[in-house]
mmCIF file with all atom_site columns, all heavy atoms in Angstrom:
data_model
loop_
_atom_site.group_PDB
_atom_site.id
_atom_site.type_symbol
_atom_site.label_atom_id
_atom_site.label_alt_id
_atom_site.label_comp_id
_atom_site.label_asym_id
_atom_site.label_entity_id
_atom_site.label_seq_id
_atom_site.pdbx_PDB_ins_code
_atom_site.Cartn_x
_atom_site.Cartn_y
_atom_site.Cartn_z
_atom_site.occupancy
_atom_site.B_iso_or_equiv
_atom_site.pdbx_formal_charge
_atom_site.auth_seq_id
_atom_site.auth_comp_id
_atom_site.auth_asym_id
_atom_site.auth_atom_id
_atom_site.pdbx_PDB_model_num
ATOM 1   N N   . PHE A 1 17 ? -5.491  -7.154  -1.662  1.00 75.00 ? 928 PHE A N   1
ATOM 2   C CA  . PHE A 1 17 ? -6.312  -7.410  -2.877  1.00 75.00 ? 928 PHE A CA  1
ATOM 3   C C   . PHE A 1 17 ? -5.399  -8.000  -3.936  1.00 75.00 ? 928 PHE A C   1
ATOM 4   O O   . PHE A 1 17 ? -4.188  -7.877  -3.875  1.00 75.00 ? 928 PHE A O   1
ATOM 5   C CB  . PHE A 1 17 ? -7.062  -6.168  -3.369  1.00 75.00 ? 928 PHE A CB  1
ATOM 6   C CG  . PHE A 1 17 ? -6.174  -5.133  -3.997  1.00 75.00 ? 928 PHE A CG  1
ATOM 7   C CD1 . PHE A 1 17 ? -5.961  -5.072  -5.349  1.00 75.00 ? 928 PHE A CD1 1
ATOM 8   C CD2 . PHE A 1 17 ? -5.494  -4.211  -3.247  1.00 75.00 ? 928 PHE A CD2 1
ATOM 9   C CE1 . PHE A 1 17 ? -5.159  -4.140  -5.932  1.00 75.00 ? 928 PHE A CE1 1
ATOM 10  C CE2 . PHE A 1 17 ? -4.686  -3.249  -3.791  1.00 75.00 ? 928 PHE A CE2 1
ATOM 11  C CZ  . PHE A 1 17 ? -4.536  -3.209  -5.132  1.00 75.00 ? 928 PHE A CZ  1
ATOM 12  N N   . HIS A 1 18 ? -6.015  -8.677  -4.881  1.00 79.00 ? 929 HIS A N   1
ATOM 13  C CA  . HIS A 1 18 ? -5.289  -9.345  -5.908  1.00 79.00 ? 929 HIS A CA  1
ATOM 14  C C   . HIS A 1 18 ? -6.049  -9.177  -7.192  1.00 79.00 ? 929 HIS A C   1
ATOM 15  O O   . HIS A 1 18 ? -7.270  -9.420  -7.239  1.00 79.00 ? 929 HIS A O   1
ATOM 16  C CB  . HIS A 1 18 ? -5.171  -10.869 -5.586  1.00 79.00 ? 929 HIS A CB  1
ATOM 17  C CG  . HIS A 1 18 ? -4.397  -11.635 -6.603  1.00 79.00 ? 929 HIS A CG  1
ATOM 18  N ND1 . HIS A 1 18 ? -3.033  -11.598 -6.706  1.00 79.00 ? 929 HIS A ND1 1
ATOM 19  C CD2 . HIS A 1 18 ? -4.812  -12.478 -7.532  1.00 79.00 ? 929 HIS A CD2 1
ATOM 20  C CE1 . HIS A 1 18 ? -2.658  -12.393 -7.671  1.00 79.00 ? 929 HIS A CE1 1
ATOM 21  N NE2 . HIS A 1 18 ? -3.735  -12.928 -8.227  1.00 79.00 ? 929 HIS A NE2 1
ATOM 22  N N   . VAL A 1 19 ? -5.406  -8.731  -8.249  1.00 88.00 ? 930 VAL A N   1
ATOM 23  C CA  . VAL A 1 19 ? -6.044  -8.573  -9.572  1.00 88.00 ? 930 VAL A CA  1
ATOM 24  C C   . VAL A 1 19 ? -5.685  -9.790  -10.412 1.00 88.00 ? 930 VAL A C   1
ATOM 25  O O   . VAL A 1 19 ? -4.478  -10.054 -10.590 1.00 88.00 ? 930 VAL A O   1
ATOM 26  C CB  . VAL A 1 19 ? -5.616  -7.238  -10.264 1.00 88.00 ? 930 VAL A CB  1
ATOM 27  C CG1 . VAL A 1 19 ? -6.264  -7.061  -11.588 1.00 88.00 ? 930 VAL A CG1 1
ATOM 28  C CG2 . VAL A 1 19 ? -5.877  -6.085  -9.319  1.00 88.00 ? 930 VAL A CG2 1
ATOM 29  N N   . ALA A 1 20 ? -6.672  -10.552 -10.900 1.00 92.00 ? 931 ALA A N   1
ATOM 30  C CA  . ALA A 1 20 ? -6.420  -11.746 -11.661 1.00 92.00 ? 931 ALA A CA  1
ATOM 31  C C   . ALA A 1 20 ? -7.270  -11.865 -12.872 1.00 92.00 ? 931 ALA A C   1
ATOM 32  O O   . ALA A 1 20 ? -8.284  -11.138 -13.033 1.00 92.00 ? 931 ALA A O   1
ATOM 33  C CB  . ALA A 1 20 ? -6.632  -12.965 -10.734 1.00 92.00 ? 931 ALA A CB  1
ATOM 34  N N   . ASN A 1 21 ? -6.931  -12.793 -13.754 1.00 95.00 ? 932 ASN A N   1
ATOM 35  C CA  . ASN A 1 21 ? -7.669  -12.953 -14.990 1.00 95.00 ? 932 ASN A CA  1
ATOM 36  C C   . ASN A 1 21 ? -8.861  -13.896 -14.888 1.00 95.00 ? 932 ASN A C   1
ATOM 37  O O   . ASN A 1 21 ? -9.505  -14.182 -15.889 1.00 95.00 ? 932 ASN A O   1
ATOM 38  C CB  . ASN A 1 21 ? -6.725  -13.382 -16.094 1.00 95.00 ? 932 ASN A CB  1
ATOM 39  C CG  . ASN A 1 21 ? -6.131  -14.825 -15.859 1.00 95.00 ? 932 ASN A CG  1
ATOM 40  O OD1 . ASN A 1 21 ? -6.333  -15.359 -14.808 1.00 95.00 ? 932 ASN A OD1 1
ATOM 41  N ND2 . ASN A 1 21 ? -5.430  -15.299 -16.832 1.00 95.00 ? 932 ASN A ND2 1
ATOM 42  N N   . ALA A 1 22 ? -9.122  -14.454 -13.731 1.00 94.00 ? 933 ALA A N   1
ATOM 43  C CA  . ALA A 1 22 ? -10.267 -15.400 -13.522 1.00 94.00 ? 933 ALA A CA  1
ATOM 44  C C   . ALA A 1 22 ? -10.647 -15.423 -12.078 1.00 94.00 ? 933 ALA A C   1
ATOM 45  O O   . ALA A 1 22 ? -9.859  -15.083 -11.191 1.00 94.00 ? 933 ALA A O   1
ATOM 46  C CB  . ALA A 1 22 ? -9.852  -16.774 -14.016 1.00 94.00 ? 933 ALA A CB  1
ATOM 47  N N   . ASN A 1 23 ? -11.903 -15.814 -11.853 1.00 90.00 ? 934 ASN A N   1
ATOM 48  C CA  . ASN A 1 23 ? -12.410 -15.963 -10.483 1.00 90.00 ? 934 ASN A CA  1
ATOM 49  C C   . ASN A 1 23 ? -12.128 -17.392 -9.979  1.00 90.00 ? 934 ASN A C   1
ATOM 50  O O   . ASN A 1 23 ? -13.036 -18.181 -9.738  1.00 90.00 ? 934 ASN A O   1
ATOM 51  C CB  . ASN A 1 23 ? -13.878 -15.669 -10.453 1.00 90.00 ? 934 ASN A CB  1
ATOM 52  C CG  . ASN A 1 23 ? -14.460 -15.653 -9.032  1.00 90.00 ? 934 ASN A CG  1
ATOM 53  O OD1 . ASN A 1 23 ? -13.687 -15.614 -8.067  1.00 90.00 ? 934 ASN A OD1 1
ATOM 54  N ND2 . ASN A 1 23 ? -15.727 -15.679 -8.910  1.00 90.00 ? 934 ASN A ND2 1
ATOM 55  N N   . ALA A 1 24 ? -10.875 -17.733 -9.907  1.00 89.00 ? 935 ALA A N   1
ATOM 56  C CA  . ALA A 1 24 ? -10.439 -19.075 -9.484  1.00 89.00 ? 935 ALA A CA  1
ATOM 57  C C   . ALA A 1 24 ? -9.107  -18.938 -8.786  1.00 89.00 ? 935 ALA A C   1
ATOM 58  O O   . ALA A 1 24 ? -8.080  -18.876 -9.441  1.00 89.00 ? 935 ALA A O   1
ATOM 59  C CB  . ALA A 1 24 ? -10.307 -19.958 -10.721 1.00 89.00 ? 935 ALA A CB  1
ATOM 60  N N   . PRO A 1 25 ? -9.108  -18.848 -7.441  1.00 79.00 ? 936 PRO A N   1
ATOM 61  C CA  . PRO A 1 25 ? -7.887  -18.596 -6.680  1.00 79.00 ? 936 PRO A CA  1
ATOM 62  C C   . PRO A 1 25 ? -6.702  -19.500 -7.086  1.00 79.00 ? 936 PRO A C   1
ATOM 63  O O   . PRO A 1 25 ? -5.542  -19.023 -7.075  1.00 79.00 ? 936 PRO A O   1
ATOM 64  C CB  . PRO A 1 25 ? -8.303  -18.862 -5.244  1.00 79.00 ? 936 PRO A CB  1
ATOM 65  C CG  . PRO A 1 25 ? -9.750  -18.652 -5.237  1.00 79.00 ? 936 PRO A CG  1
ATOM 66  C CD  . PRO A 1 25 ? -10.294 -19.062 -6.602  1.00 79.00 ? 936 PRO A CD  1
ATOM 67  N N   . LEU A 1 26 ? -6.936  -20.780 -7.393  1.00 87.00 ? 937 LEU A N   1
ATOM 68  C CA  . LEU A 1 26 ? -5.833  -21.661 -7.702  1.00 87.00 ? 937 LEU A CA  1
ATOM 69  C C   . LEU A 1 26 ? -5.607  -21.854 -9.182  1.00 87.00 ? 937 LEU A C   1
ATOM 70  O O   . LEU A 1 26 ? -4.697  -22.560 -9.620  1.00 87.00 ? 937 LEU A O   1
ATOM 71  C CB  . LEU A 1 26 ? -6.043  -23.021 -7.029  1.00 87.00 ? 937 LEU A CB  1
ATOM 72  C CG  . LEU A 1 26 ? -6.124  -22.973 -5.511  1.00 87.00 ? 937 LEU A CG  1
ATOM 73  C CD1 . LEU A 1 26 ? -6.413  -24.366 -4.983  1.00 87.00 ? 937 LEU A CD1 1
ATOM 74  C CD2 . LEU A 1 26 ? -4.839  -22.428 -4.911  1.00 87.00 ? 937 LEU A CD2 1
ATOM 75  N N   . ASN A 1 27 ? -6.442  -21.206 -10.011 1.00 92.00 ? 938 ASN A N   1
ATOM 76  C CA  . ASN A 1 27 ? -6.355  -21.402 -11.468 1.00 92.00 ? 938 ASN A CA  1
ATOM 77  C C   . ASN A 1 27 ? -6.464  -20.034 -12.176 1.00 92.00 ? 938 ASN A C   1
ATOM 78  O O   . ASN A 1 27 ? -7.210  -19.920 -13.169 1.00 92.00 ? 938 ASN A O   1
ATOM 79  C CB  . ASN A 1 27 ? -7.437  -22.356 -11.932 1.00 92.00 ? 938 ASN A CB  1
ATOM 80  C CG  . ASN A 1 27 ? -7.148  -22.874 -13.331 1.00 92.00 ? 938 ASN A CG  1
ATOM 81  O OD1 . ASN A 1 27 ? -6.008  -22.858 -13.795 1.00 92.00 ? 938 ASN A OD1 1
ATOM 82  N ND2 . ASN A 1 27 ? -8.193  -23.287 -14.025 1.00 92.00 ? 938 ASN A ND2 1
ATOM 83  N N   . ALA A 1 28 ? -5.789  -19.038 -11.644 1.00 92.00 ? 939 ALA A N   1
ATOM 84  C CA  . ALA A 1 28 ? -5.850  -17.729 -12.241 1.00 92.00 ? 939 ALA A CA  1
ATOM 85  C C   . ALA A 1 28 ? -4.439  -17.080 -12.263 1.00 92.00 ? 939 ALA A C   1
ATOM 86  O O   . ALA A 1 28 ? -3.622  -17.401 -11.416 1.00 92.00 ? 939 ALA A O   1
ATOM 87  C CB  . ALA A 1 28 ? -6.811  -16.819 -11.496 1.00 92.00 ? 939 ALA A CB  1
ATOM 88  N N   . GLU A 1 29 ? -4.197  -16.254 -13.202 1.00 93.00 ? 940 GLU A N   1
ATOM 89  C CA  . GLU A 1 29 ? -2.932  -15.499 -13.259 1.00 93.00 ? 940 GLU A CA  1
ATOM 90  C C   . GLU A 1 29 ? -3.110  -14.106 -12.824 1.00 93.00 ? 940 GLU A C   1
ATOM 91  O O   . GLU A 1 29 ? -4.122  -13.466 -13.142 1.00 93.00 ? 940 GLU A O   1
ATOM 92  C CB  . GLU A 1 29 ? -2.436  -15.537 -14.719 1.00 93.00 ? 940 GLU A CB  1
ATOM 93  C CG  . GLU A 1 29 ? -2.053  -16.884 -15.269 1.00 93.00 ? 940 GLU A CG  1
ATOM 94  C CD  . GLU A 1 29 ? -0.887  -17.511 -14.568 1.00 93.00 ? 940 GLU A CD  1
ATOM 95  O OE1 . GLU A 1 29 ? 0.023   -16.766 -14.208 1.00 93.00 ? 940 GLU A OE1 1
ATOM 96  O OE2 . GLU A 1 29 ? -0.859  -18.740 -14.388 1.00 93.00 ? 940 GLU A OE2 1
ATOM 97  N N   . GLY A 1 30 ? -2.145  -13.572 -12.105 1.00 90.00 ? 941 GLY A N   1
ATOM 98  C CA  . GLY A 1 30 ? -2.166  -12.196 -11.656 1.00 90.00 ? 941 GLY A CA  1
ATOM 99  C C   . GLY A 1 30 ? -1.985  -11.274 -12.837 1.00 90.00 ? 941 GLY A C   1
ATOM 100 O O   . GLY A 1 30 ? -1.377  -11.599 -13.837 1.00 90.00 ? 941 GLY A O   1
#
Side-chain angles (χ1 to χ4, degrees):
F928 71 96
H929 181 77
V930 181
N932 66 353
N934 186 15
L937 299 177
N938 196 23
E940 295 293 326

